[in-house]
């Protein structure tokens, strides 16, 4: 099994505001979290700086970013820490692998009744499915045009 978050999976939000995290994503979280049972049933979410979505990862991924930041210029790391670490929420999954989003995160990503979980390798994103579809199609078109321009 891969240690990367792969694919795009859309799940419905239930009447209690919970959504099931895809099994393949939970498997990656288990592999990348370490040995602690408490860590294995959680993930970290924060608002994306680049898109109207949420970024998701394991707490170990953020620990690695923090450790790797020692070579950064102090002001750049301070800005990063303020925006990413201060905005992050540790989300605990229930025994069935479901989570609830903080209201401010749902509002930021305009998530109402469905969530698209989008694999991004060592992290993943959470989108409104319609917004992601439009973004994904625009990205594919842009890449196609760049490919055509480089061959022409």
């Amino acid at each position: 099994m891969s240690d990367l978050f792969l694919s795009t999976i859309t799940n419905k939000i239930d009447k209690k505001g919970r959504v099931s995290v895809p099994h393949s994503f939970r498997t990656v979280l288990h592999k990348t979290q370490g040995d602690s049972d408490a860590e294995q049933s959680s993930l970290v979410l924060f608002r994306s700086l680049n898109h109207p979505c949420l970024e998701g990862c394991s707490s170990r991924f953020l620990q690695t970013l923090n450790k790797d930041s020692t070579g950064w210029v102090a002001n750049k790391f301070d800005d990063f820490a303020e925006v990413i670490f201060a905005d992050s929420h540790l989300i605990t999954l229930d025994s069935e692998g479901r989570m609830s989003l903080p209201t401010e995160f749902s509002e930021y990503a305009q998530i109402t009744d469905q969530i698209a979980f989008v694999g991004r390798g060592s992290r993943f994103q959470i989108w409104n499915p319609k917004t992601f579809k439009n973004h994904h199609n625009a990205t594919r078109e842009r890449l196609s045009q760049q490919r055509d321009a480089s061959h022409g």
Side-chain angles (χ1 to χ4, degrees):
M1 202 62 57
S2 174
D3 288 347
L4 299 174
F5 295 103
L6 303 173
S7 195
T8 299
I9 302 164
T10 301
N11 286 341
K12 289 186 177 204
I13 299 173
D14 70 15
K15 292 178 184 178
K16 294 183 180 180
R18 302 170 301 191
V19 64
S20 180
V21 175
H23 182 266
S24 60
F25 284 43
R26 291 194 315 265
T27 299
V28 174
L29 288 166
H30 285 277
K31 285 182 165 185
T32 59
Q33 287 292 27
D35 297 326
S36 167
D37 287 338
E39 282 187 334
Q40 289 181 355
S41 61
S42 65
L43 55 93
V44 176
L45 292 177
F46 54 92
R47 291 176 287 187
S48 174
L49 294 172
N50 301 315
H51 305 291
C53 68
L54 306 174
E55 301 283 347
C57 62
S58 67
S59 58
R60 178 142 316 159
F61 180 80
L62 282 187
Q63 290 170 356
T64 301
L65 285 179
N66 188 47
K67 189 183 296 184
D68 291 346
S69 68
T70 56
W72 289 24
V73 176
N75 288 343
K76 287 184 180 180
F77 181 71
D78 285 347
D79 289 347
F80 176 80
E82 179 180 332
V83 173
I84 302 301
F85 291 107
D87 192 45
S88 293
H89 285 258
L90 183 64
I91 307 294
T92 302
L93 305 183
D94 69 13
S95 61
E96 295 180 33
R98 297 174 299 197
M99 68 171 185
S100 296
L101 292 178
T103 302
E104 66 269 22
F105 282 7
S106 296
E107 290 172 355
Y108 177 79
Q110 300 176 2
I111 292 170
T112 54
D113 60 337
Q114 291 187 326
I115 290 179
F117 291 86
V118 180
R120 302 277 297 193
S122 58
R123 58 190 172 79
F124 61 94
Q125 294 176 328
I126 293 177
W127 288 78
N128 170 303
K130 292 176 185 173
T131 305
F132 177 70
K133 182 178 180 182
N134 292 335
H135 168 79
H136 187 69
N137 288 340
T139 301
R140 289 185 65 83
E141 179 63 27
R142 184 175 61 249
L143 288 173
S144 178
Q145 290 174 359
Q146 289 171 0
R147 182 199 65 220
D148 292 346
S150 69
H151 287 98

